[in-house]
Amino acid sequence: ACMNDNLDLECIDLVKRFGAFTAVDGVSLSAPRGSFFSILGPSGCGKTTLLRMIAGFQSPDAGDIRIKGRSVLGVAPNRRNVNMIFQHLALFPMMTVAENVAYGLQCHGTPKAEIGPKVAAALARVDLPDAGPKRIDQLSGGQKQRIAIARCLVLEPDLLLLDEPLGALDLKLREHMKVELKQLQQKIGTTFVYITHDQSEALVMSDQVAVMNHGRFEQIGSPQELYYNPRTAFVAGFVGDANRWRGRVEAGDAKSAKAITGDGIALTAATAGDPLSAGDEVEIFVRPESISLTLDEKGVADLDNRLSGQVENLLFNGANSTVQVRDGQTGGEVMVRMPQTAEFANLAHGAPVYLGWNNDQAKCFPAGEDIPSSGEE
């Protein structure tokens, strides 16, 4: 195998079947050294199976897994330089923090004299230098998370695999830990491979995200690429919020398409995948923050797509406040995200408003299977 020194992990055309069911269907990824790589998808998409194959708990039916350039097919989990953190952190409650962190070193037969300094160094790396003598039940949820990481780091793994590790935490702590985990990973420099069904976790923390659906990767890219340039309807619907219309193409080419929705609205959008032609069924996605909202029709007159309607609801959330607008022509609902301006403050339920956006702010995909709403299990 050619040694690629810069990649800590490569998966090449991995396949895993359970009887007639294909859980992982030809998946390839590469995680550069020191990166935070997330695998994002709804439950049942195959992400846990993929992680278990990387860890060595399951073996693939086809394909290869390379860690630091070397194939690990047939290598037992404890012989791979990889550690895994599960949602239930599996810390030993009857041991102190230091004993928990030392446990793996003892299993590996590390000389006693080296264990103390290594444990102290690992605790310092996760910013809990004085936690050693504490009992596990004296720690907060966020501290337990960091001890679970320290327990892995002390073994100096090439990869840290994290299986929905924030899932058991309450919302506020989860928000805090997202930022903390990213900072920790950058500081430590160990490659993290993280799986989650929560798109906000993946977007906030990762350098690269692979969006997984039905055992395949729909797209791999930076959070920004996935959000602004989704390549499939699934990615557009799963990553971030979006307004969606379904329609039939009247005219289309490789760049854009004009479609008529079932309710008779004409919309134009940039083509995100293959060229579209007349008669194709399509899904059109527009991000809530891409839509301009004005009280005066002239304000949207020069935009490619225009709708009018009435304010249905105002959802205040500081700079990310949302206006729900009932579209006057079809009765459909359109979400608009807009900053807290004086204009927003003056909006009232039932107020007539005008909406508009340009073609390049809308993405058009061939209509296929149904797309989950984002962040659903």
Side-chain angles (χ1 to χ4, degrees):
C2 87
M3 295 279 288
N4 189 335
D5 276 350
N6 189 32
L7 295 179
D8 274 350
L9 171 68
E10 290 172 277
C11 296
I12 300 151
D13 299 327
L14 282 185
V15 175
K16 179 66 182 173
R17 297 185 194 93
F18 297 102
F21 175 67
T22 304
V24 174
D25 190 3
V27 153
S28 298
L29 68 89
S30 48
R33 171 151 320 156
S35 62
F36 198 125
F37 191 102
S38 290
I39 299 159
L40 168 69
S43 54
C45 71
K47 57 189 188 297
T48 300
T49 303
L50 175 57
L51 208 65
R52 291 177 64 83
M53 288 194 285
I54 297 167
F57 301 132
Q58 283 171 337
S59 38
D61 292 314
D64 195 5
I65 299 167
R66 294 179 195 161
I67 293 172
K68 288 243 191 290
R70 286 206 172 84
S71 176
V72 291
L73 293 188
V75 177
N78 59 345
R79 319 285 318 160
R80 297 183 186 195
N81 199 12
V82 166
N83 285 99
M84 191 151 173
I85 294 178
F86 299 93
Q87 183 168 337
H88 306 291
L89 301 171
L91 296 168
F92 303 116
M94 71 297 288
M95 294 182 184
T96 65
V97 165
E99 287 165 344
N100 264 280
V101 177
Y103 181 78
L105 292 171
Q106 288 161 345
C107 294
H108 282 250
T110 308
K112 267 217 165 78
E114 290 175 26
I115 289 180
K118 284 192 167 186
V119 168
L123 288 173
R125 285 173 85 187
V126 297
D127 298 324
L128 288 171
D130 307 322
K134 288 188 173 165
R135 290 198 323 275
I136 295 299
D137 61 11
Q138 293 175 295
L139 303 177
S140 70
Q143 288 171 326
K144 285 180 187 160
Q145 203 83 50
R146 285 191 279 167
I147 295 305
I149 291 172
R151 190 175 58 174
C152 293
L153 291 179
V154 78
L155 301 169
E156 295 170 29
D158 294 328
L159 291 178
L160 199 51
L161 308 178
L162 300 101
D163 185 355
E164 306 251 1
L166 306 186
L169 304 178
D170 67 59
L171 184 65
K172 193 147 191 186
L173 182 55
R174 219 161 52 219
E175 292 297 314
H176 172 70
M177 283 304 295
K178 281 195 290 210
V179 179
E180 194 163 281
L181 263 182
K182 181 174 179 74
Q183 288 171 337
L184 198 56
Q185 188 275 330
Q186 286 172 334
K187 181 179 131 181
I188 296 160
T190 301
T191 299
F192 280 23
V193 179
Y194 189 99
I195 65 172
T196 181
H197 66 270
D198 180 323
Q199 42 123 1
S200 71
E201 272 179 28
L203 295 180
V204 165
M205 293 194 284
S206 317
D207 303 312
Q208 291 271 294
V209 182
V211 180
M212 196 169 187
N213 182 30
H214 295 315
R216 293 178 167 232
F217 284 164
E218 297 261 337
Q219 187 173 351
I220 300 179
S222 68
Q224 291 83 352
E225 284 172 63
L226 296 175
Y227 189 86
Y228 292 110
N229 293 306
R231 282 214 289 273
T232 68
F234 181 86
V235 175
F238 196 73
V239 176
D241 298 321
N243 293 291
R244 290 164 53 186
W245 287 271
R246 199 175 178 119
R248 186 167 260 119
V249 175
E250 281 215 320
D253 55 34
K255 286 234 165 61
S256 67
K258 179 183 179 188
I260 305 289
T261 69
D263 295 319
I265 306 178
L267 294 174
T268 51
T271 309
D274 299 324
L276 295 163
S277 45
D280 290 349
E281 285 271 325
V282 288
E283 292 259 6
I284 293 172
F285 290 82
V286 183
R287 298 280 181 209
E289 66 275 17
S290 300
I291 298 178
S292 302
L293 178 149
T294 62
L295 299 172
D296 176 0
E297 199 168 359
K298 288 197 206 70
V300 294
D302 54 351
L303 298 175
D304 299 327
N305 295 278
R306 295 182 298 280
L307 295 174
S308 58
Q310 291 183 325
V311 173
E312 182 80 10
N313 254 319
L314 299 173
L315 309 174
F316 175 75
N317 182 13
N320 277 328
S321 295
T322 302
V323 190
Q324 288 175 317
V325 177
R326 182 75 53 205
D327 160 33
Q329 192 175 337
T330 69
E333 193 177 86
V334 184
M335 305 288 279
V336 182
R337 197 162 289 142
M338 59 188 290
Q340 270 310 99
T341 53
E343 186 153 35
F344 182 92
N346 292 329
L347 289 176
H349 178 83
V353 289
Y354 299 91
L355 308 179
W357 61 91
N358 278 326
N359 293 346
D360 56 357
Q361 293 171 306
K363 295 266 185 293
C364 186
F365 300 91
E369 51 170 300
D370 195 46
I371 298 134
S373 55
S374 60
E376 255 179 43
E377 282 249 28

